[in-house]
mmCIF file of all heavy atoms in Angstrom:
data_model
loop_
_atom_site.group_PDB
_atom_site.id
_atom_site.type_symbol
_atom_site.label_atom_id
_atom_site.label_comp_id
_atom_site.label_asym_id
_atom_site.label_seq_id
_atom_site.Cartn_x
_atom_site.Cartn_y
_atom_site.Cartn_z
ATOM 1 N N MET V 1291 -0.873 -13.529 -8.602
ATOM 2 C CA MET V 1291 -1.823 -12.684 -7.874
ATOM 3 C C MET V 1291 -3.207 -13.322 -7.899
ATOM 4 O O MET V 1291 -3.620 -13.908 -8.884
ATOM 5 C CB MET V 1291 -1.892 -11.294 -8.522
ATOM 6 C CG MET V 1291 -0.618 -10.497 -8.305
ATOM 7 S SD MET V 1291 -0.234 -10.311 -6.566
ATOM 8 C CE MET V 1291 -0.348 -8.557 -6.400
ATOM 9 N N VAL V 1292 -3.903 -13.166 -6.811
ATOM 10 C CA VAL V 1292 -5.240 -13.736 -6.711
ATOM 11 C C VAL V 1292 -6.272 -12.639 -6.961
ATOM 12 O O VAL V 1292 -6.192 -11.550 -6.395
ATOM 13 C CB VAL V 1292 -5.468 -14.347 -5.315
ATOM 14 C CG1 VAL V 1292 -6.899 -14.873 -5.187
ATOM 15 C CG2 VAL V 1292 -4.464 -15.447 -5.046
ATOM 16 N N THR V 1293 -7.210 -12.930 -7.837
ATOM 17 C CA THR V 1293 -8.297 -11.992 -8.075
ATOM 18 C C THR V 1293 -9.381 -12.209 -7.033
ATOM 19 O O THR V 1293 -9.923 -13.295 -6.915
ATOM 20 C CB THR V 1293 -8.874 -12.187 -9.487
ATOM 21 O OG1 THR V 1293 -7.842 -11.969 -10.435
ATOM 22 C CG2 THR V 1293 -9.999 -11.206 -9.742
ATOM 23 N N THR V 1294 -9.643 -11.165 -6.264
ATOM 24 C CA THR V 1294 -10.649 -11.240 -5.210
ATOM 25 C C THR V 1294 -11.931 -10.595 -5.690
ATOM 26 O O THR V 1294 -11.923 -9.453 -6.142
ATOM 27 C CB THR V 1294 -10.145 -10.509 -3.954
ATOM 28 O OG1 THR V 1294 -8.896 -11.058 -3.577
ATOM 29 C CG2 THR V 1294 -11.121 -10.667 -2.809
ATOM 30 N N ARG V 1295 -13.001 -11.324 -5.561
ATOM 31 C CA ARG V 1295 -14.297 -10.787 -5.983
ATOM 32 C C ARG V 1295 -15.171 -10.530 -4.767
ATOM 33 O O ARG V 1295 -15.190 -11.325 -3.836
ATOM 34 C CB ARG V 1295 -15.014 -11.764 -6.917
ATOM 35 C CG ARG V 1295 -14.379 -11.812 -8.287
ATOM 36 C CD ARG V 1295 -15.156 -12.710 -9.242
ATOM 37 N NE ARG V 1295 -14.595 -12.639 -10.588
ATOM 38 C CZ ARG V 1295 -14.964 -11.727 -11.477
ATOM 39 N NH1 ARG V 1295 -15.890 -10.840 -11.177
ATOM 40 N NH2 ARG V 1295 -14.418 -11.690 -12.667
ATOM 41 N N PHE V 1296 -15.842 -9.432 -4.784
ATOM 42 C CA PHE V 1296 -16.751 -9.093 -3.696
ATOM 43 C C PHE V 1296 -17.760 -8.080 -4.223
ATOM 44 O O PHE V 1296 -17.833 -7.816 -5.418
ATOM 45 C CB PHE V 1296 -15.982 -8.541 -2.494
ATOM 46 C CG PHE V 1296 -15.070 -7.401 -2.825
ATOM 47 C CD1 PHE V 1296 -15.478 -6.100 -2.643
ATOM 48 C CD2 PHE V 1296 -13.803 -7.635 -3.351
ATOM 49 C CE1 PHE V 1296 -14.642 -5.049 -2.955
ATOM 50 C CE2 PHE V 1296 -12.954 -6.596 -3.668
ATOM 51 C CZ PHE V 1296 -13.374 -5.300 -3.466
ATOM 52 N N LEU V 1297 -18.539 -7.529 -3.315
ATOM 53 C CA LEU V 1297 -19.531 -6.543 -3.710
ATOM 54 C C LEU V 1297 -19.172 -5.198 -3.110
ATOM 55 O O LEU V 1297 -18.667 -5.099 -1.999
ATOM 56 C CB LEU V 1297 -20.928 -6.962 -3.238
ATOM 57 C CG LEU V 1297 -21.464 -8.252 -3.873
ATOM 58 C CD1 LEU V 1297 -22.782 -8.639 -3.222
ATOM 59 C CD2 LEU V 1297 -21.628 -8.106 -5.371
ATOM 60 N N ASN V 1298 -19.434 -4.150 -3.869
ATOM 61 C CA ASN V 1298 -19.127 -2.796 -3.425
ATOM 62 C C ASN V 1298 -20.242 -1.870 -3.905
ATOM 63 O O ASN V 1298 -20.759 -2.036 -4.999
ATOM 64 C CB ASN V 1298 -17.786 -2.361 -4.023
ATOM 65 C CG ASN V 1298 -17.273 -1.095 -3.377
ATOM 66 O OD1 ASN V 1298 -16.837 -1.117 -2.233
ATOM 67 N ND2 ASN V 1298 -17.309 0.014 -4.083
ATOM 68 N N ASN V 1299 -20.607 -0.926 -3.094
ATOM 69 C CA ASN V 1299 -21.652 0.007 -3.523
ATOM 70 C C ASN V 1299 -21.157 0.852 -4.682
ATOM 71 O O ASN V 1299 -20.046 1.381 -4.654
ATOM 72 C CB ASN V 1299 -22.050 0.923 -2.368
ATOM 73 C CG ASN V 1299 -22.958 0.209 -1.370
ATOM 74 O OD1 ASN V 1299 -23.228 -0.981 -1.518
ATOM 75 N ND2 ASN V 1299 -23.398 0.919 -0.371
ATOM 76 N N CYS V 1300 -21.990 1.007 -5.676
ATOM 77 C CA CYS V 1300 -21.656 1.819 -6.841
ATOM 78 C C CYS V 1300 -21.516 3.279 -6.424
ATOM 79 O O CYS V 1300 -22.401 3.834 -5.775
ATOM 80 C CB CYS V 1300 -22.756 1.673 -7.888
ATOM 81 S SG CYS V 1300 -22.551 2.774 -9.297
ATOM 82 N N PRO V 1301 -20.403 3.940 -6.787
ATOM 83 C CA PRO V 1301 -20.208 5.346 -6.413
ATOM 84 C C PRO V 1301 -21.148 6.286 -7.164
ATOM 85 O O PRO V 1301 -21.297 7.439 -6.775
ATOM 86 C CB PRO V 1301 -18.747 5.607 -6.784
ATOM 87 C CG PRO V 1301 -18.434 4.608 -7.829
ATOM 88 C CD PRO V 1301 -19.263 3.391 -7.505
ATOM 89 N N ARG V 1302 -21.753 5.827 -8.233
ATOM 90 C CA ARG V 1302 -22.635 6.684 -9.010
ATOM 91 C C ARG V 1302 -24.080 6.597 -8.534
ATOM 92 O O ARG V 1302 -24.722 7.606 -8.303
ATOM 93 C CB ARG V 1302 -22.546 6.328 -10.492
ATOM 94 C CG ARG V 1302 -23.485 7.192 -11.349
ATOM 95 C CD ARG V 1302 -23.513 6.712 -12.784
ATOM 96 N NE ARG V 1302 -22.252 7.005 -13.487
ATOM 97 C CZ ARG V 1302 -21.997 6.596 -14.725
ATOM 98 N NH1 ARG V 1302 -22.867 5.854 -15.369
ATOM 99 N NH2 ARG V 1302 -20.859 6.898 -15.298
ATOM 100 N N CYS V 1303 -24.609 5.361 -8.390
ATOM 101 C CA CYS V 1303 -26.026 5.210 -8.086
ATOM 102 C C CYS V 1303 -26.263 4.574 -6.718
ATOM 103 O O CYS V 1303 -27.392 4.564 -6.237
ATOM 104 C CB CYS V 1303 -26.718 4.403 -9.175
ATOM 105 S SG CYS V 1303 -26.318 2.640 -9.156
ATOM 106 N N GLY V 1304 -25.212 4.050 -6.078
ATOM 107 C CA GLY V 1304 -25.370 3.491 -4.743
ATOM 108 C C GLY V 1304 -25.861 2.060 -4.713
ATOM 109 O O GLY V 1304 -25.976 1.471 -3.647
ATOM 110 N N TYR V 1305 -26.154 1.511 -5.855
ATOM 111 C CA TYR V 1305 -26.598 0.127 -5.925
ATOM 112 C C TYR V 1305 -25.422 -0.807 -5.656
ATOM 113 O O TYR V 1305 -24.257 -0.438 -5.833
ATOM 114 C CB TYR V 1305 -27.185 -0.135 -7.314
ATOM 115 C CG TYR V 1305 -27.949 -1.428 -7.432
ATOM 116 C CD1 TYR V 1305 -29.214 -1.561 -6.863
ATOM 117 C CD2 TYR V 1305 -27.417 -2.501 -8.135
ATOM 118 C CE1 TYR V 1305 -29.926 -2.737 -6.984
ATOM 119 C CE2 TYR V 1305 -28.125 -3.685 -8.267
ATOM 120 C CZ TYR V 1305 -29.382 -3.802 -7.687
ATOM 121 O OH TYR V 1305 -30.069 -4.971 -7.816
ATOM 122 N N VAL V 1306 -25.735 -2.014 -5.204
ATOM 123 C CA VAL V 1306 -24.679 -2.987 -4.957
ATOM 124 C C VAL V 1306 -24.122 -3.463 -6.292
ATOM 125 O O VAL V 1306 -24.840 -4.037 -7.106
ATOM 126 C CB VAL V 1306 -25.213 -4.177 -4.145
ATOM 127 C CG1 VAL V 1306 -24.111 -5.214 -3.947
ATOM 128 C CG2 VAL V 1306 -25.730 -3.694 -2.791
ATOM 129 N N ALA V 1307 -22.859 -3.203 -6.512
ATOM 130 C CA ALA V 1307 -22.227 -3.509 -7.785
ATOM 131 C C ALA V 1307 -21.193 -4.613 -7.614
ATOM 132 O O ALA V 1307 -20.674 -4.846 -6.527
ATOM 133 C CB ALA V 1307 -21.551 -2.248 -8.346
ATOM 134 N N GLU V 1308 -20.916 -5.267 -8.714
ATOM 135 C CA GLU V 1308 -19.879 -6.289 -8.723
ATOM 136 C C GLU V 1308 -18.512 -5.619 -8.700
ATOM 137 O O GLU V 1308 -18.273 -4.663 -9.423
ATOM 138 C CB GLU V 1308 -20.026 -7.144 -9.977
ATOM 139 C CG GLU V 1308 -18.983 -8.235 -10.109
ATOM 140 C CD GLU V 1308 -19.129 -9.004 -11.417
ATOM 141 O OE1 GLU V 1308 -20.082 -8.734 -12.173
ATOM 142 O OE2 GLU V 1308 -18.276 -9.843 -11.666
ATOM 143 N N ALA V 1309 -17.624 -6.115 -7.873
ATOM 144 C CA ALA V 1309 -16.291 -5.531 -7.782
ATOM 145 C C ALA V 1309 -15.264 -6.638 -7.647
ATOM 146 O O ALA V 1309 -15.540 -7.697 -7.102
ATOM 147 C CB ALA V 1309 -16.210 -4.582 -6.585
ATOM 148 N N TRP V 1310 -14.098 -6.369 -8.152
ATOM 149 C CA TRP V 1310 -13.010 -7.326 -8.002
ATOM 150 C C TRP V 1310 -11.689 -6.603 -8.026
ATOM 151 O O TRP V 1310 -11.567 -5.515 -8.561
ATOM 152 C CB TRP V 1310 -13.075 -8.394 -9.097
ATOM 153 C CG TRP V 1310 -12.773 -7.897 -10.472
ATOM 154 C CD1 TRP V 1310 -11.589 -7.964 -11.113
ATOM 155 C CD2 TRP V 1310 -13.691 -7.238 -11.378
ATOM 156 N NE1 TRP V 1310 -11.708 -7.388 -12.360
ATOM 157 C CE2 TRP V 1310 -12.979 -6.936 -12.546
ATOM 158 C CE3 TRP V 1310 -15.038 -6.889 -11.279
ATOM 159 C CZ2 TRP V 1310 -13.574 -6.284 -13.621
ATOM 160 C CZ3 TRP V 1310 -15.623 -6.241 -12.359
ATOM 161 C CH2 TRP V 1310 -14.899 -5.957 -13.515
ATOM 162 N N SER V 1311 -10.718 -7.226 -7.380
ATOM 163 C CA SER V 1311 -9.392 -6.626 -7.299
ATOM 164 C C SER V 1311 -8.373 -7.560 -7.918
ATOM 165 O O SER V 1311 -8.378 -8.752 -7.650
ATOM 166 C CB SER V 1311 -9.031 -6.341 -5.839
ATOM 167 O OG SER V 1311 -7.724 -5.806 -5.771
ATOM 168 N N GLU V 1312 -7.511 -6.993 -8.729
ATOM 169 C CA GLU V 1312 -6.474 -7.797 -9.360
ATOM 170 C C GLU V 1312 -5.124 -7.588 -8.701
ATOM 171 O O GLU V 1312 -4.244 -8.431 -8.797
ATOM 172 C CB GLU V 1312 -6.380 -7.454 -10.846
ATOM 173 C CG GLU V 1312 -7.642 -7.848 -11.606
ATOM 174 C CD GLU V 1312 -7.593 -7.392 -13.059
ATOM 175 O OE1 GLU V 1312 -6.696 -6.611 -13.388
ATOM 176 O OE2 GLU V 1312 -8.462 -7.819 -13.833
ATOM 177 N N ASP V 1313 -4.952 -6.446 -8.038
ATOM 178 C CA ASP V 1313 -3.642 -6.146 -7.466
ATOM 179 C C ASP V 1313 -3.705 -5.829 -5.979
ATOM 180 O O ASP V 1313 -2.690 -5.562 -5.359
ATOM 181 C CB ASP V 1313 -2.986 -4.998 -8.222
ATOM 182 C CG ASP V 1313 -3.858 -3.742 -8.267
ATOM 183 O OD1 ASP V 1313 -4.848 -3.674 -7.497
ATOM 184 O OD2 ASP V 1313 -3.551 -2.840 -9.052
ATOM 185 N N GLY V 1314 -4.912 -5.816 -5.393
ATOM 186 C CA GLY V 1314 -5.046 -5.545 -3.970
ATOM 187 C C GLY V 1314 -4.948 -4.071 -3.618
ATOM 188 O O GLY V 1314 -5.033 -3.714 -2.440
ATOM 189 N N VAL V 1315 -4.738 -3.219 -4.611
ATOM 190 C CA VAL V 1315 -4.614 -1.787 -4.362
ATOM 191 C C VAL V 1315 -5.845 -1.058 -4.887
ATOM 192 O O VAL V 1315 -6.391 -0.176 -4.227
ATOM 193 C CB VAL V 1315 -3.349 -1.225 -5.027
ATOM 194 C CG1 VAL V 1315 -3.257 0.291 -4.816
ATOM 195 C CG2 VAL V 1315 -2.122 -1.924 -4.461
ATOM 196 N N PHE V 1316 -6.286 -1.445 -6.070
ATOM 197 C CA PHE V 1316 -7.494 -0.876 -6.647
ATOM 198 C C PHE V 1316 -8.515 -1.981 -6.871
ATOM 199 O O PHE V 1316 -8.150 -3.139 -7.059
ATOM 200 C CB PHE V 1316 -7.193 -0.206 -7.994
ATOM 201 C CG PHE V 1316 -6.405 1.064 -7.863
ATOM 202 C CD1 PHE V 1316 -5.028 1.055 -8.017
ATOM 203 C CD2 PHE V 1316 -7.040 2.268 -7.576
ATOM 204 C CE1 PHE V 1316 -4.286 2.224 -7.900
ATOM 205 C CE2 PHE V 1316 -6.312 3.435 -7.462
ATOM 206 C CZ PHE V 1316 -4.931 3.410 -7.613
ATOM 207 N N VAL V 1317 -9.768 -1.589 -6.831
ATOM 208 C CA VAL V 1317 -10.827 -2.515 -7.212
ATOM 209 C C VAL V 1317 -11.499 -1.993 -8.479
ATOM 210 O O VAL V 1317 -11.686 -0.790 -8.656
ATOM 211 C CB VAL V 1317 -11.882 -2.697 -6.111
ATOM 212 C CG1 VAL V 1317 -11.287 -3.397 -4.904
ATOM 213 C CG2 VAL V 1317 -12.495 -1.378 -5.684
ATOM 214 N N ASN V 1318 -11.838 -2.905 -9.341
ATOM 215 C CA ASN V 1318 -12.634 -2.576 -10.513
ATOM 216 C C ASN V 1318 -14.100 -2.760 -10.140
ATOM 217 O O ASN V 1318 -14.465 -3.765 -9.544
ATOM 218 C CB ASN V 1318 -12.282 -3.507 -11.672
ATOM 219 C CG ASN V 1318 -10.830 -3.390 -12.068
ATOM 220 O OD1 ASN V 1318 -10.394 -2.370 -12.573
ATOM 221 N ND2 ASN V 1318 -10.065 -4.436 -11.817
ATOM 222 N N VAL V 1319 -14.900 -1.792 -10.462
ATOM 223 C CA VAL V 1319 -16.325 -1.839 -10.144
ATOM 224 C C VAL V 1319 -17.118 -1.830 -11.435
ATOM 225 O O VAL V 1319 -16.859 -1.033 -12.337
ATOM 226 C CB VAL V 1319 -16.735 -0.636 -9.260
ATOM 227 C CG1 VAL V 1319 -18.233 -0.659 -8.974
ATOM 228 C CG2 VAL V 1319 -15.951 -0.640 -7.957
ATOM 229 N N ARG V 1320 -18.092 -2.713 -11.504
ATOM 230 C CA ARG V 1320 -18.987 -2.737 -12.656
ATOM 231 C C ARG V 1320 -20.410 -2.822 -12.143
ATOM 232 O O ARG V 1320 -20.784 -3.797 -11.501
ATOM 233 C CB ARG V 1320 -18.671 -3.927 -13.554
ATOM 234 C CG ARG V 1320 -19.584 -3.981 -14.785
ATOM 235 C CD ARG V 1320 -19.236 -5.171 -15.658
ATOM 236 N NE ARG V 1320 -17.886 -5.062 -16.200
ATOM 237 C CZ ARG V 1320 -17.166 -6.090 -16.616
ATOM 238 N NH1 ARG V 1320 -17.642 -7.320 -16.509
ATOM 239 N NH2 ARG V 1320 -15.955 -5.909 -17.095
ATOM 240 N N CYS V 1321 -21.189 -1.800 -12.406
ATOM 241 C CA CYS V 1321 -22.548 -1.720 -11.888
ATOM 242 C C CYS V 1321 -23.541 -2.134 -12.968
ATOM 243 O O CYS V 1321 -23.550 -1.569 -14.053
ATOM 244 C CB CYS V 1321 -22.845 -0.299 -11.417
ATOM 245 S SG CYS V 1321 -24.515 -0.084 -10.789
ATOM 246 N N LYS V 1322 -24.357 -3.109 -12.613
ATOM 247 C CA LYS V 1322 -25.354 -3.569 -13.579
ATOM 248 C C LYS V 1322 -26.546 -2.617 -13.643
ATOM 249 O O LYS V 1322 -27.330 -2.667 -14.577
ATOM 250 C CB LYS V 1322 -25.833 -4.970 -13.188
ATOM 251 C CG LYS V 1322 -24.754 -6.013 -13.311
ATOM 252 C CD LYS V 1322 -25.263 -7.373 -12.861
ATOM 253 C CE LYS V 1322 -24.147 -8.417 -12.952
ATOM 254 N NZ LYS V 1322 -24.586 -9.714 -12.405
ATOM 255 N N MET V 1323 -26.692 -1.785 -12.614
ATOM 256 C CA MET V 1323 -27.853 -0.920 -12.551
ATOM 257 C C MET V 1323 -27.703 0.294 -13.465
ATOM 258 O O MET V 1323 -28.586 0.619 -14.242
ATOM 259 C CB MET V 1323 -28.083 -0.478 -11.106
ATOM 260 C CG MET V 1323 -29.312 0.388 -10.920
ATOM 261 S SD MET V 1323 -30.852 -0.462 -11.319
ATOM 262 C CE MET V 1323 -31.024 -1.522 -9.891
ATOM 263 N N CYS V 1324 -26.562 0.989 -13.380
ATOM 264 C CA CYS V 1324 -26.403 2.226 -14.146
ATOM 265 C C CYS V 1324 -25.309 2.103 -15.201
ATOM 266 O O CYS V 1324 -25.123 3.015 -15.990
ATOM 267 C CB CYS V 1324 -26.099 3.393 -13.200
ATOM 268 S SG CYS V 1324 -24.455 3.348 -12.467
ATOM 269 N N GLY V 1325 -24.576 1.002 -15.193
ATOM 270 C CA GLY V 1325 -23.576 0.809 -16.217
ATOM 271 C C GLY V 1325 -22.213 1.381 -15.874
ATOM 272 O O GLY V 1325 -21.310 1.399 -16.697
ATOM 273 N N TYR V 1326 -22.052 1.859 -14.620
ATOM 274 C CA TYR V 1326 -20.776 2.447 -14.213
ATOM 275 C C TYR V 1326 -19.656 1.411 -14.253
ATOM 276 O O TYR V 1326 -19.816 0.287 -13.803
ATOM 277 C CB TYR V 1326 -20.904 3.008 -12.793
ATOM 278 C CG TYR V 1326 -19.603 3.502 -12.214
ATOM 279 C CD1 TYR V 1326 -19.183 4.808 -12.436
ATOM 280 C CD2 TYR V 1326 -18.794 2.659 -11.461
ATOM 281 C CE1 TYR V 1326 -17.985 5.265 -11.909
ATOM 282 C CE2 TYR V 1326 -17.599 3.111 -10.933
ATOM 283 C CZ TYR V 1326 -17.194 4.408 -11.158
ATOM 284 O OH TYR V 1326 -16.017 4.848 -10.641
ATOM 285 N N GLU V 1327 -18.522 1.820 -14.787
ATOM 286 C CA GLU V 1327 -17.323 0.999 -14.701
ATOM 287 C C GLU V 1327 -16.168 1.902 -14.316
ATOM 288 O O GLU V 1327 -15.994 2.982 -14.880
ATOM 289 C CB GLU V 1327 -17.007 0.329 -16.039
ATOM 290 C CG GLU V 1327 -17.906 -0.841 -16.363
ATOM 291 C CD GLU V 1327 -17.391 -1.625 -17.570
ATOM 292 O OE1 GLU V 1327 -16.250 -2.121 -17.490
ATOM 293 O OE2 GLU V 1327 -18.099 -1.719 -18.573
ATOM 294 N N GLY V 1328 -15.392 1.499 -13.347
ATOM 295 C CA GLY V 1328 -14.266 2.325 -12.959
ATOM 296 C C GLY V 1328 -13.420 1.641 -11.899
ATOM 297 O O GLY V 1328 -13.695 0.516 -11.488
ATOM 298 N N ARG V 1329 -12.404 2.354 -11.463
ATOM 299 C CA ARG V 1329 -11.507 1.816 -10.438
ATOM 300 C C ARG V 1329 -11.577 2.688 -9.197
ATOM 301 O O ARG V 1329 -11.627 3.907 -9.275
ATOM 302 C CB ARG V 1329 -10.066 1.776 -10.938
ATOM 303 C CG ARG V 1329 -9.862 0.788 -12.052
ATOM 304 C CD ARG V 1329 -8.443 0.259 -12.051
ATOM 305 N NE ARG V 1329 -7.436 1.331 -12.029
ATOM 306 C CZ ARG V 1329 -6.139 1.116 -11.861
ATOM 307 N NH1 ARG V 1329 -5.686 -0.107 -11.707
ATOM 308 N NH2 ARG V 1329 -5.284 2.108 -11.855
ATOM 309 N N LEU V 1330 -11.540 2.036 -8.041
ATOM 310 C CA LEU V 1330 -11.561 2.726 -6.761
ATOM 311 C C LEU V 1330 -10.449 2.156 -5.897
ATOM 312 O O LEU V 1330 -10.019 1.027 -6.090
ATOM 313 C CB LEU V 1330 -12.907 2.481 -6.054
ATOM 314 C CG LEU V 1330 -14.173 2.925 -6.784
ATOM 315 C CD1 LEU V 1330 -15.388 2.407 -6.033
ATOM 316 C CD2 LEU V 1330 -14.224 4.432 -6.900
ATOM 317 N N PRO V 1331 -9.981 2.928 -4.899
ATOM 318 C CA PRO V 1331 -9.040 2.365 -3.935
ATOM 319 C C PRO V 1331 -9.679 1.178 -3.224
ATOM 320 O O PRO V 1331 -10.872 1.198 -2.924
ATOM 321 C CB PRO V 1331 -8.785 3.523 -2.957
ATOM 322 C CG PRO V 1331 -9.141 4.757 -3.722
ATOM 323 C CD PRO V 1331 -10.248 4.351 -4.667
ATOM 324 N N HIS V 1332 -8.898 0.165 -2.951
ATOM 325 C CA HIS V 1332 -9.415 -1.029 -2.305
ATOM 326 C C HIS V 1332 -9.954 -0.689 -0.919
ATOM 327 O O HIS V 1332 -9.246 -0.079 -0.119
ATOM 328 C CB HIS V 1332 -8.286 -2.055 -2.181
ATOM 329 C CG HIS V 1332 -8.785 -3.442 -1.914
ATOM 330 N ND1 HIS V 1332 -9.436 -3.788 -0.768
ATOM 331 C CD2 HIS V 1332 -8.730 -4.555 -2.675
ATOM 332 C CE1 HIS V 1332 -9.755 -5.074 -0.830
ATOM 333 N NE2 HIS V 1332 -9.349 -5.562 -1.972
ATOM 334 N N PRO V 1333 -11.200 -1.069 -0.621
ATOM 335 C CA PRO V 1333 -11.797 -0.696 0.672
ATOM 336 C C PRO V 1333 -11.069 -1.292 1.869
ATOM 337 O O PRO V 1333 -11.069 -0.700 2.958
ATOM 338 C CB PRO V 1333 -13.240 -1.227 0.572
ATOM 339 C CG PRO V 1333 -13.200 -2.262 -0.517
ATOM 340 C CD PRO V 1333 -12.148 -1.795 -1.480
ATOM 341 N N ASP V 1334 -10.425 -2.411 1.708
ATOM 342 C CA ASP V 1334 -9.715 -3.029 2.823
ATOM 343 C C ASP V 1334 -8.479 -2.243 3.224
ATOM 344 O O ASP V 1334 -7.907 -2.459 4.280
ATOM 345 C CB ASP V 1334 -9.286 -4.455 2.455
ATOM 346 C CG ASP V 1334 -10.474 -5.400 2.446
ATOM 347 O OD1 ASP V 1334 -11.557 -4.986 2.891
ATOM 348 O OD2 ASP V 1334 -10.307 -6.534 1.998
ATOM 349 N N LEU V 1335 -8.061 -1.315 2.380
ATOM 350 C CA LEU V 1335 -6.838 -0.570 2.657
ATOM 351 C C LEU V 1335 -7.120 0.784 3.312
ATOM 352 O O LEU V 1335 -6.200 1.514 3.636
ATOM 353 C CB LEU V 1335 -6.062 -0.340 1.362
ATOM 354 C CG LEU V 1335 -5.587 -1.633 0.677
ATOM 355 C CD1 LEU V 1335 -4.866 -1.277 -0.623
ATOM 356 C CD2 LEU V 1335 -4.684 -2.436 1.570
ATOM 357 N N LYS V 1336 -8.386 1.097 3.504
ATOM 358 C CA LYS V 1336 -8.718 2.415 4.043
ATOM 359 C C LYS V 1336 -8.181 2.613 5.451
ATOM 360 O O LYS V 1336 -7.876 3.725 5.843
ATOM 361 C CB LYS V 1336 -10.237 2.620 4.035
ATOM 362 C CG LYS V 1336 -10.766 2.957 2.645
ATOM 363 C CD LYS V 1336 -12.271 3.225 2.697
ATOM 364 C CE LYS V 1336 -12.778 3.609 1.295
ATOM 365 N NZ LYS V 1336 -14.241 3.772 1.311
ATOM 366 N N ASN V 1337 -8.085 1.543 6.202
ATOM 367 C CA ASN V 1337 -7.597 1.661 7.573
ATOM 368 C C ASN V 1337 -6.117 1.339 7.674
ATOM 369 O O ASN V 1337 -5.554 1.334 8.763
ATOM 370 C CB ASN V 1337 -8.393 0.721 8.489
ATOM 371 C CG ASN V 1337 -9.859 1.139 8.584
ATOM 372 O OD1 ASN V 1337 -10.171 2.319 8.558
ATOM 373 N ND2 ASN V 1337 -10.738 0.176 8.666
ATOM 374 N N GLY V 1338 -5.503 1.083 6.541
ATOM 375 C CA GLY V 1338 -4.104 0.717 6.557
ATOM 376 C C GLY V 1338 -3.268 1.732 5.816
ATOM 377 O O GLY V 1338 -3.058 2.850 6.268
ATOM 378 N N ALA V 1339 -2.847 1.353 4.618
ATOM 379 C CA ALA V 1339 -1.974 2.225 3.855
ATOM 380 C C ALA V 1339 -2.712 3.458 3.340
ATOM 381 O O ALA V 1339 -2.106 4.497 3.143
ATOM 382 C CB ALA V 1339 -1.384 1.446 2.674
ATOM 383 N N TRP V 1340 -4.018 3.297 3.134
ATOM 384 C CA TRP V 1340 -4.787 4.404 2.585
ATOM 385 C C TRP V 1340 -5.435 5.175 3.727
ATOM 386 O O TRP V 1340 -6.161 4.634 4.529
ATOM 387 C CB TRP V 1340 -5.859 3.915 1.629
ATOM 388 C CG TRP V 1340 -5.304 3.431 0.334
ATOM 389 C CD1 TRP V 1340 -4.760 2.205 0.076
ATOM 390 C CD2 TRP V 1340 -5.214 4.161 -0.886
ATOM 391 N NE1 TRP V 1340 -4.348 2.141 -1.220
ATOM 392 C CE2 TRP V 1340 -4.603 3.310 -1.835
ATOM 393 C CE3 TRP V 1340 -5.574 5.464 -1.258
ATOM 394 C CZ2 TRP V 1340 -4.368 3.728 -3.144
ATOM 395 C CZ3 TRP V 1340 -5.345 5.870 -2.558
ATOM 396 C CH2 TRP V 1340 -4.744 5.018 -3.498
ATOM 397 N N ARG V 1341 -5.155 6.459 3.778
ATOM 398 C CA ARG V 1341 -5.810 7.325 4.757
ATOM 399 C C ARG V 1341 -6.775 8.210 3.994
ATOM 400 O O ARG V 1341 -6.353 9.063 3.229
ATOM 401 C CB ARG V 1341 -4.786 8.173 5.513
ATOM 402 C CG ARG V 1341 -3.791 7.350 6.326
ATOM 403 C CD ARG V 1341 -4.495 6.597 7.455
ATOM 404 N NE ARG V 1341 -3.534 5.816 8.244
ATOM 405 C CZ ARG V 1341 -2.953 6.288 9.336
ATOM 406 N NH1 ARG V 1341 -3.199 7.511 9.745
ATOM 407 N NH2 ARG V 1341 -2.110 5.539 10.009
ATOM 408 N N VAL V 1342 -8.061 8.008 4.249
ATOM 409 C CA VAL V 1342 -9.091 8.764 3.556
ATOM 410 C C VAL V 1342 -9.665 9.811 4.493
ATOM 411 O O VAL V 1342 -10.059 9.504 5.603
ATOM 412 C CB VAL V 1342 -10.206 7.837 3.042
ATOM 413 C CG1 VAL V 1342 -11.316 8.634 2.371
ATOM 414 C CG2 VAL V 1342 -9.615 6.821 2.077
ATOM 415 N N GLY V 1343 -9.723 11.027 4.043
ATOM 416 C CA GLY V 1343 -10.277 12.097 4.874
ATOM 417 C C GLY V 1343 -9.218 12.664 5.750
ATOM 418 O O GLY V 1343 -9.515 13.276 6.757
HETATM 419 ZN ZN1 LIG U 1608 -24.462 2.214 -10.452
#
């Protein structure tokens, strides 16, 4: 599996946070601004397998 690194807005403070995906389904987010760490659905999947809203 390829680890993909990109940037994602922090869900807590909205700052641009470091994000990476290990499995292509979830992304790990780590925000340097507020210290948030967590997992979110991969944004690239919102229009595909993931239906949000
Ligand atoms: Zn944050």
Side-chain angles (χ1 to χ4, degrees):
M1291 290 303 243
V1292 177
T1293 300
T1294 305
R1295 287 184 175 273
F1296 53 96
L1297 296 174
N1298 192 72
N1299 283 4
C1300 173
R1302 179 187 289 175
C1303 73
Y1305 193 74
V1306 178
E1308 179 183 356
W1310 69 97
S1311 178
E1312 294 175 349
D1313 56 14
V1315 177
F1316 289 96
V1317 293
N1318 299 293
V1319 178
R1320 181 180 296 157
C1321 179
K1322 293 178 182 175
M1323 182 63 75
C1324 71
Y1326 174 87
E1327 285 190 59
R1329 293 209 308 171
L1330 301 171
H1332 197 295
D1334 286 351
L1335 297 178
K1336 282 183 178 176
N1337 295 325
W1340 288 82
R1341 298 295 181 93
V1342 177

